[in-house]
Amino acid sequence: MITVLPSSERFHTDAGWLDSRHTFSFADHYDPERLGFSSLRVINDDRVQPARGFGSHSHRDMEILTYVLSGELAHKDSMGNGSVIRPGELQRMSAGTGVVHSEMNPSRTEPVHFLQIWVVPDRSGHKPGYEQKMFSEAERRSKLRLVASPDGRDGSVTIHQDALVHASLLERGERVAYSLPRARHAWVHVARGAIELNGQPLGEGDGAAISDEDRIELAAKDSSEVLLFDLP
């Protein structure tokens, strides 16, 4: 079964310096039917204006993934980490027992466009942690590249949950397939472009919940960037 959430039905926050589309309930946007999907809790599609961003704020007991689509995002946290996240890089911050961080657009001229993804951990109380890795275009081109997993396999970042995150760059006409194990679920998010998911059209910003399907096929109708989540 495939259930599509069109981009137009995402929640919207426009703060001037921030334009954000929320796949699931977030902040002041609440829908009891849209509290997440399996262990996937948040997909926020954020655009932040130059020299603006999120000041220091706290999180706990959440696996937070940041995936930059264009521009750059500067990160600082209470664990002593400071970095700049660029396209193709995935940052993992395990908030665990508590962490304070900030995220700012360091450019004075260019906006930054990124996805912030929250995954509910397997338990509360993990020690806070941080990891950032680059996945080149070549690694993601025409394939589903594993970028996050519970055991860090294949050079992916490590998350405290039995979930797998894949990223793919597809050109028009290309196809990739994924076998979904029995009793597992999946979510597909189209970051840009247009695809068909098992023959069903999805455009930029669209998402789809997948259950009781043993095979997932993504066919690009345009140059596209897609994330696929394999979830318990």
Side-chain angles (χ1 to χ4, degrees):
M1 181 175 66
I2 297 175
T3 304
V4 174
L5 175 68
S7 174
S8 61
E9 294 184 12
R10 294 182 296 175
F11 303 113
H12 184 211
T13 296
D14 185 353
W17 61 271
L18 167 69
D19 187 283
S20 184
R21 308 282 172 164
H22 314 289
T23 295
F24 305 114
S25 295
F26 187 81
D28 294 335
H29 303 286
Y30 178 77
D31 180 342
E33 301 300 318
R34 296 243 310 267
L35 297 178
F37 180 70
S38 180
S39 58
L40 184 59
R41 176 63 185 82
V42 164
I43 302 177
N44 287 347
D45 187 343
D46 291 343
R47 288 173 168 84
V48 174
Q49 292 301 306
R52 301 298 299 270
F54 304 91
S56 294
H57 58 286
S58 62
H59 295 284
R60 63 180 301 121
D61 292 324
M62 196 64 68
E63 302 293 294
I64 300 175
L65 302 173
T66 302
Y67 185 81
V68 172
L69 297 165
S70 64
E72 297 181 343
L73 188 68
H75 166 95
K76 291 183 180 180
D77 64 47
S78 56
M79 294 178 284
N81 299 299
S83 66
V84 175
I85 314 166
R86 298 179 174 85
E89 292 183 314
L90 182 68
Q91 178 205 78
R92 181 269 301 170
M93 187 178 74
S94 296
T97 54
V99 66
V100 176
H101 77 140
S102 64
E103 297 164 301
M104 306 295 294
N105 181 353
S107 173
R108 295 287 173 180
T109 58
E110 299 297 325
V112 58
H113 181 198
F114 63 98
L115 301 176
Q116 185 158 105
I117 299 154
W118 294 7
V119 177
V120 178
D122 54 7
R123 64 172 177 83
S124 61
H126 282 290
K127 180 181 178 181
Y130 178 89
E131 195 175 8
Q132 182 173 326
K133 291 189 175 182
M134 164 62 79
F135 300 93
S136 68
E137 285 195 13
E139 290 180 84
R140 293 174 289 141
R141 179 72 60 195
S142 309
K143 62 178 72 72
L144 287 163
R145 172 58 161 104
L146 183 67
V147 296
S149 69
D151 54 6
R153 74 188 75 158
D154 299 330
S156 59
V157 303
T158 303
I159 56 176
H160 295 296
Q161 180 53 268
D162 181 21
L164 306 173
V165 185
H166 300 80
S168 185
L169 298 174
L170 300 172
E171 292 303 321
R172 180 182 177 90
E174 291 186 325
R175 296 174 179 265
V176 291
Y178 186 80
S179 295
L180 189 64
R182 185 180 298 274
R184 300 280 292 184
H185 307 276
W187 185 275
V188 168
H189 178 80
V190 182
R192 62 180 180 87
I195 67 167
E196 287 187 351
L197 165 61
N198 289 12
Q200 191 159 341
L202 297 179
E204 187 167 309
D206 289 349
I210 305 166
S211 298
D212 300 319
E213 300 276 345
D214 57 7
R215 179 180 170 85
I216 300 170
E217 184 171 274
L218 309 178
K221 310 308 290 182
D222 199 353
S223 180
S224 301
E225 188 162 6
V226 184
L227 294 179
L228 185 152
F229 302 83
D230 180 335
L231 304 162

